[in-house]
Amino acid sequence: MISFEARAHRRALRVCALLTMAGLTACVAPPSYRNRPVAAGAPSTFVLAHAAIVEEPRHATRHLDEAKTIVYAQTQGGNLTAGLVFGALGALANMGMVDSQTGLDAARMKGKLKLEPRQLFLDAAIRQGLELADVDGAVRTGATPYLFISKSPNGRLLAAAAVQLEQGSGADRWSGLYMHQMPSTYSLDDLARPSEDLQRKLAAEAAQGFGELAAFVAREEAGRKDASAKAPPEREFVFSTELLGGAEHSMPARLIASSQELVWCRTFEGVFTLRRSSMKIRTRGI
């Protein structure tokens, strides 16, 4: 019988390819669950950064603002069976169609959203008491905040507050994505012609999302040194979410916490807070 871990790694490699296409990660090594290293001697120092994985152009991904802090991605727009029927050439054609549709969508939304993700995360980090610095350095943890917008399989647009964290260098380099899915969904027309009320609502939900992420990082700073040995093991499960490709893209995770509305989980890419309403959980009791 194939073990859960072996199946999880196979799923992770498929999802890793999806997230790489969406510009969320770069898979160069066997996957492992992301646990951010926290030194026992002193708190981490964070600095606002510009992670290449967020800001460089990628397939089926577009930036919706000049500052490259609002990222739009999708897996829709092409024929999902093309790769199966026509092989490699069909898959390449499908990728081209998806990328083309992404560009068309992004052109309608470009420059329309007024929120500032970097400032929202900075404000949240200050409120949580995270130690911040003005310049980068060898011992700094770089934080690249952005708003992630994804087209779900049903055509609705989902949004999430996201922070790419990077620290260390060489063999000690670590990076992880922290993402909090926001409650509202939108149509393409909504974000192509956003009203003032929508702008305020989106900014408020993003601020709350960045607040949740900053609070989680603060708990890591304060709690892991003392509580990691006492904490119960994180339970493994498998899920898919409309935020990251829908039902066709299942992935393994470890449960951190859950409520009636949200599931906090640790994946091979980082830490995600996801809405149950957009998830399909394939493991009982989560």
Side-chain angles (χ1 to χ4, degrees):
M1 180 179 293
I2 301 174
S3 68
F4 179 91
E5 184 176 0
R7 294 196 303 271
H9 277 245
R10 282 213 303 264
R11 290 189 185 99
L13 290 173
R14 293 197 297 269
V15 173
C16 198
L18 167 69
L19 295 180
T20 300
M21 185 177 72
L24 295 178
T25 188
C27 298
V28 296
S32 60
Y33 289 107
R34 284 291 196 271
N35 287 281
R36 186 170 65 87
V38 178
S44 304
T45 300
F46 297 86
V47 60
L48 287 181
H50 295 273
I53 201 168
V54 175
E55 298 191 352
E56 288 182 352
R58 293 182 183 273
H59 173 81
T61 303
R62 297 292 189 277
H63 293 99
L64 301 184
D65 63 331
E66 294 300 327
K68 298 182 178 180
T69 62
I70 305 176
V71 178
Y72 174 65
Q74 69 166 320
T75 58
Q76 313 308 308
N79 182 352
L80 295 176
T81 64
L84 296 175
V85 176
F86 299 110
L89 291 178
L92 289 174
N94 181 59
M95 291 174 67
M97 287 187 286
V98 171
D99 190 68
S100 176
Q101 186 61 55
T102 305
L104 293 172
D105 291 351
R108 296 184 59 193
M109 297 182 285
K110 180 83 172 181
K112 302 296 179 63
L113 304 179
K114 299 176 181 178
L115 75 169
E116 299 181 7
R118 292 174 71 85
Q119 188 61 50
L120 292 175
F121 175 75
L122 182 62
D123 293 343
I126 292 172
R127 287 194 301 270
Q128 291 297 327
L130 296 178
E131 187 168 325
L132 302 166
D134 293 330
V135 294
D136 200 359
V139 296
R140 308 287 194 244
T141 297
T144 304
Y146 62 101
L147 181 72
F148 177 66
I149 299 173
S150 171
K151 180 186 277 188
S152 69
N154 65 14
R156 296 292 292 176
L157 304 188
L158 286 68
V163 182
Q164 184 73 37
L165 297 181
E166 299 177 321
Q167 61 191 58
S169 60
D172 295 327
R173 181 173 178 77
W174 181 92
S175 67
L177 174 62
Y178 286 47
M179 183 175 285
H180 181 95
Q181 184 179 349
M182 292 148 54
S184 298
T185 66
Y186 306 93
S187 69
L188 183 59
D189 287 341
D190 289 337
L191 298 191
R193 296 189 297 272
S195 65
E196 289 300 319
D197 285 344
L198 186 147
Q199 297 273 19
R200 286 191 291 269
K201 179 180 180 181
L202 187 65
E205 291 187 0
Q208 181 182 7
F210 283 116
E212 293 286 347
L213 294 177
F216 184 87
V217 171
R219 288 194 296 272
E220 284 185 324
E221 291 291 313
R224 179 159 325 147
K225 308 177 190 70
D226 303 320
S228 58
K230 304 174 186 177
E234 295 173 347
R235 181 183 173 188
E236 291 186 291
F237 68 103
V238 175
F239 75 96
S240 60
T241 172
E242 293 177 358
L243 184 69
L244 300 174
E248 294 188 359
H249 304 286
S250 61
M251 65 187 80
R254 286 180 175 168
L255 179 66
I256 298 173
S258 65
S259 67
Q260 290 185 338
E261 295 182 357
L262 297 171
V263 175
W264 286 85
C265 60
R266 190 182 314 280
T267 74
F268 294 145
E269 313 310 324
V271 173
F272 291 75
T273 316
L274 301 168
R275 301 276 157 185
R276 283 186 181 272
S277 59
S278 68
M279 295 178 73
K280 184 174 181 180
I281 298 174
R282 292 168 167 79
T283 306
R284 292 182 178 179
I286 301 297

